[in-house]
Amino acid sequence: MATTSITSALGAGSGVDIKELVASLVDAQFANKTKQLTAKSDALTKQISGVSTLKSGISGFAGALAALAKGGTLATAPTSSNSGILKVSGLSGAKLAGLSASVEVRQLAAPQVATSPAIADPIASVGLGSFTLTFGKATVTDGAMTGFTAGAAAPITIPITAGNSGLSGIARSINAANAGVTATVLTDANGSRLSIKSATGEAKAFTLTANEDPAAPGLSSLNIGPGATGTTIGSVAKDAIVAVDGVALQRPSNSISDLIPGVKLDLVSAAIGTTVTLGTSAPTAALSQAVNDFVETFNQLGAAIKEQTDPVTGLLKSDSATATLARSMRQLTLTPLLTDAPNGVPATLAEIGVQTNRDGTLSVNAARLTEALTKWPDTVEAMFADGSGASGKGLSAALTSISNTAIDTKVGLGASTARYTKAQADLADDQSDLADAEDVMTKRLTQQYGAMDARVAAYKSTLTFLQQQVDAWNSSK
């Protein structure tokens, strides 16, 4: 088609369309090279996209499984026979098989709460100076502190300045000290009161003693401690008292993690004489669901890998990192997840019913999985336990290892991304060079054919003149 266009144009003499002629010649010269570079650029873009898809797929898969393992839903959980008295939860990494205990909550831990008399104006100055806050153990009778033994911690001084000498300002100063108590101002029809609250535990009782500025007295009306007449102790600092299997123990908090190995106790209410029985609940349904979810996600990622590595159409069929990922995923069901499993006890996914089909996909043998969950519940649970610690065991640890290798920037898909990105940058340079060459050729041909057009026009002008002379001579005869 380009040849026909050039031929017809050359037959037009000085009427040649030089722009179209040059464009046709340049296109004919560079068409194949341009097509090759464009095709290569498109392939690199798709390769980068494919690598990104696989990186996202494997890292997302590993991350989701790790989060599930850490979440605790796949681990044997402690149970309480009366959650209205005592709630229980398992600590991370705890092995609770065989847990059995009885707990009696005899007393809840409580903070000390002291409240001042009502004052009409919470902003009006009470006095200037400072307070000394001291922690220890107290004896309280009918809202009055009758005895106090200071603890080992050093007393804390809280300055009260002119800008913070009202109840509201004093509360701000106490809170700003971060001394272990919280101050609030409570207001009703009778006025405003300063309320100060400690953490729970009998050793968190406290006294507050004013060091008054003689020129502006009044802070002593807020004193807390033996002999203080203005404030009232509304809540006495107490330890929790819990009897575990009949043995009474004290703790300063209602959230206790060091009485029963692997179990956190949250005390809800005291019930002297009522025993709460602790046991365990196996996560059979959750583990079964986890196995099926794993297989489904594995197959989704496997489909993406298969598409990218197809021997005919796969853009990553020659990518070594993708091949390594595909091989690691194929071997996963046969990888021992429990290195210390006794003979006859399943240690791989294949041995609990995760089977590999002829096309490389996975499926679940429901009967075999049920058998494994019935005979070896602790083993299956261990396979899905959080393996991020020193042991490095379990499915999550195995998949995380595959993911880390796959996305590695030196030998994994990260390196592939860098390689394809560099190739794309080099290709962009080639395309730029080609564009420059096209521009040079366009200018050269335009000049050549422009000169030719000028000469043809001159020849035609001379021919026209001669024809006129001949016509004139013929006419004169």
Side-chain angles (χ1 to χ4, degrees):
M1 184 173 181
T3 303
T4 303
S5 174
I6 293 171
T7 302
S8 61
L10 288 174
S14 61
V16 170
D17 187 341
I18 294 176
K19 184 176 181 181
E20 180 180 352
L21 174 62
V22 170
S24 298
L25 291 172
V26 171
D27 287 345
Q29 177 71 21
F30 293 98
N32 288 337
K33 185 65 174 178
T34 299
K35 184 177 180 180
Q36 291 173 0
L37 293 180
T38 300
K40 191 173 182 180
S41 177
D42 290 344
L44 285 171
T45 298
K46 292 178 180 178
Q47 285 175 317
I48 292 172
S49 176
V51 169
S52 178
T53 297
L54 297 186
K55 284 171 60 180
S56 176
I58 184 59
S59 60
F61 190 9
L65 186 60
L68 182 62
K70 290 180 180 179
T73 58
L74 302 183
T76 295
T79 60
S80 167
S81 63
N82 192 332
S83 58
I85 297 175
L86 175 65
K87 293 182 179 180
V88 292
S89 56
L91 299 177
S92 179
K95 297 185 182 300
L96 301 176
L99 171 65
S100 177
S102 61
V103 179
E104 178 188 357
V105 180
R106 296 179 180 176
Q107 177 177 288
L108 294 181
Q112 175 178 303
V113 180
T115 306
S116 73
I119 296 177
D121 186 355
I123 301 177
S125 178
V126 175
L128 300 177
S130 65
F131 283 115
T132 298
L133 178 68
T134 306
F135 288 101
K137 295 182 179 181
T139 303
V140 177
T141 304
D142 296 331
M145 189 178 295
T146 56
F148 182 80
T149 302
I156 300 164
T157 300
I158 302 172
I160 304 300
T161 61
N164 289 303
S165 60
L167 286 188
S168 298
I170 291 171
R172 285 195 299 271
S173 297
I174 292 173
N175 292 332
N178 292 318
V181 295
T182 302
T184 56
V185 176
L186 306 176
T187 302
D188 62 11
N190 296 319
S192 298
R193 298 170 177 82
L194 179 67
S195 178
I196 305 177
K197 181 179 182 179
S198 71
T200 59
E202 67 176 15
K204 294 300 183 180
F206 63 89
T207 60
L208 192 69
T209 306
N211 308 295
E212 295 188 321
D213 182 341
L219 290 182
S220 59
S221 64
L222 301 179
N223 277 354
I224 301 168
T229 58
T231 54
T232 301
I233 309 298
S235 172
V236 180
K238 298 178 182 178
D239 279 348
I241 301 176
V242 179
V244 179
D245 293 331
V247 180
L249 302 164
Q250 290 185 223
R251 292 293 185 274
S253 172
N254 290 316
S255 182
I256 306 171
S257 300
D258 62 350
L259 284 182
I260 299 176
V263 179
K264 177 185 176 184
L265 307 178
D266 287 304
L267 313 185
V268 179
S269 62
I272 298 175
T274 301
T275 299
V276 179
T277 302
L278 304 188
T280 59
S281 174
T284 303
L287 285 170
S288 178
Q289 185 63 51
V291 171
N292 283 276
D293 290 345
F294 171 84
V295 167
E296 180 180 356
T297 308
F298 180 99
N299 288 339
Q300 291 173 355
L301 178 59
I305 295 174
K306 186 175 182 180
E307 178 184 358
Q308 295 296 334
T309 56
D310 184 277
V312 177
T313 61
L315 291 171
L316 300 179
K317 59 187 176 184
S318 300
D319 186 86
S320 60
T322 303
T324 298
L325 173 60
R327 184 167 54 253
S328 298
M329 293 298 287
R330 287 195 301 269
Q331 295 171 348
L332 186 55
T333 58
L334 301 177
T335 299
L337 304 177
L338 302 175
T339 56
D340 55 353
N343 290 334
V345 175
T348 67
L349 289 176
E351 291 171 336
I352 65 170
V354 179
Q355 55 194 22
T356 302
N357 304 318
R358 288 187 176 182
D359 60 359
T361 61
L362 301 183
S363 59
V364 178
N365 184 320
R368 193 167 183 181
L369 177 59
T370 299
E371 179 186 22
L373 288 170
T374 301
K375 290 184 177 180
W376 305 286
D378 296 339
T379 298
V380 179
E381 181 179 331
M383 287 184 181
F384 282 83
D386 177 20
S388 60
S391 66
K393 300 176 182 178
L395 180 58
S396 176
L399 190 60
T400 297
S401 177
I402 292 174
S403 175
N404 290 340
T405 300
I407 65 177
D408 186 81
T409 56
K410 293 183 178 179
V411 298
L413 294 171
S416 297
T417 298
R419 185 169 63 255
Y420 296 138
T421 301
K422 183 180 183 304
Q424 198 170 48
D426 293 341
L427 187 64
D429 291 340
D430 292 341
Q431 290 174 318
S432 178
D433 292 342
L434 184 65
D436 291 343
E438 289 179 348
D439 186 54
V440 169
M441 185 176 181
T442 298
K443 290 179 180 178
R444 178 171 58 79
L445 292 180
T446 299
Q447 290 174 349
Q448 291 177 347
Y449 284 108
M452 177 203 70
D453 185 68
R455 288 195 294 273
V456 171
Y459 295 153
K460 290 184 68 176
S461 177
T462 300
L463 179 61
T464 300
F465 173 75
L466 292 175
Q467 183 65 49
Q468 290 173 346
Q469 291 299 318
V470 171
D471 290 344
W473 290 338
N474 291 333
S475 171
S476 63
K477 293 179 179 181

Coordinates of all heavy atoms in Angstrom, one line a residue, residues 6 82 103 108 133 167 172 198 238 269 277 288 306 325 385 461:
I6 N 3.4 6.0 -2.9 CA 4.6 6.7 -3.4 C 4.6 6.9 -4.9 O 4.9 7.9 -5.4 CB 5.9 5.9 -2.9 CG1 6.0 6.0 -1.4 CG2 7.1 6.5 -3.5 CD1 7.0 5.0 -0.8
N82 N -19.6 -20.5 85.5 CA -20.4 -19.3 85.9 C -19.7 -18.1 85.5 O -18.9 -17.5 86.3 CB -20.7 -19.4 87.4 CG -21.8 -18.4 87.8 OD1 -22.0 -17.4 87.2 ND2 -22.5 -18.7 88.9
V103 N -12.7 -22.6 91.4 CA -12.3 -21.3 91.9 C -13.5 -20.7 92.7 O -14.6 -20.7 92.2 CB -11.9 -20.4 90.7 CG1 -11.5 -19.0 91.2 CG2 -10.7 -21.0 90.0
L108 N -13.6 -9.0 95.7 CA -13.0 -8.3 94.5 C -12.0 -7.3 94.9 O -12.1 -6.7 96.0 CB -14.2 -7.6 93.7 CG -15.2 -8.5 93.0 CD1 -16.2 -7.6 92.3 CD2 -14.5 -9.5 92.1
L133 N 1.4 13.2 98.2 CA 0.7 12.0 98.0 C 1.5 10.8 98.4 O 2.7 10.7 97.9 CB 0.3 11.9 96.5 CG -0.5 10.6 96.1 CD1 -1.9 10.6 96.7 CD2 -0.5 10.6 94.6
L167 N -11.2 23.8 92.7 CA -11.4 22.3 92.7 C -11.0 21.8 91.3 O -10.3 20.8 91.1 CB -12.8 21.9 93.0 CG -13.2 21.9 94.5 CD1 -14.6 21.3 94.6 CD2 -12.2 21.3 95.4
R172 N -6.9 19.1 87.8 CA -5.9 19.1 86.7 C -4.5 18.9 87.2 O -3.7 18.1 86.5 CB -6.1 20.4 85.9 CG -7.3 20.5 85.1 CD -7.2 21.7 84.1 NE -7.0 23.0 84.7 CZ -8.0 23.8 85.1 NH1 -9.3 23.4 84.9 NH2 -7.8 24.9 85.7
S198 N -7.7 5.7 93.3 CA -6.5 5.0 93.1 C -6.7 3.8 92.2 O -7.8 3.5 91.8 CB -5.9 4.6 94.4 OG -6.6 3.5 95.0
K238 N -8.7 -2.6 98.4 CA -8.6 -4.0 98.8 C -8.0 -4.9 97.7 O -8.0 -4.5 96.5 CB -10.1 -4.5 99.0 CG -10.9 -3.9 100.1 CD -12.3 -4.5 100.1 CE -13.1 -3.8 101.2 NZ -14.5 -4.3 101.1
S269 N -17.7 -10.9 90.1 CA -18.4 -10.6 91.3 C -17.9 -11.6 92.4 O -17.5 -12.7 92.1 CB -19.9 -10.6 91.1 OG -20.3 -11.9 90.8
T277 N -16.4 -23.9 88.4 CA -15.5 -25.0 87.8 C -14.9 -24.6 86.5 O -15.6 -24.0 85.6 CB -16.4 -26.3 87.6 OG1 -16.9 -26.7 88.9 CG2 -15.5 -27.4 87.0
S288 N -11.8 -27.4 61.8 CA -12.4 -28.0 60.5 C -12.6 -26.9 59.5 O -12.3 -27.0 58.3 CB -13.7 -28.7 60.8 OG -14.2 -29.2 59.7
K306 N -0.7 -21.0 38.3 CA -0.8 -21.8 37.1 C -1.0 -21.0 35.8 O -0.4 -21.3 34.8 CB -2.0 -22.8 37.3 CG -2.2 -23.8 36.1 CD -3.3 -24.8 36.4 CE -3.4 -25.8 35.3 NZ -4.5 -26.8 35.7
L325 N 8.3 -20.7 43.9 CA 7.0 -20.6 44.6 C 6.1 -21.7 44.3 O 5.5 -22.3 45.2 CB 6.4 -19.2 44.3 CG 5.0 -19.0 44.9 CD1 5.0 -19.1 46.5 CD2 4.4 -17.7 44.5
A385 N -1.3 -23.9 65.3 CA -0.9 -22.9 66.4 C 0.0 -21.9 65.8 O 0.6 -22.0 64.8 CB -0.2 -23.7 67.5
S461 N 8.4 25.2 -14.8 CA 8.3 26.6 -15.2 C 9.0 26.8 -16.5 O 8.5 27.5 -17.4 CB 8.9 27.4 -14.1 OG 8.9 28.8 -14.4

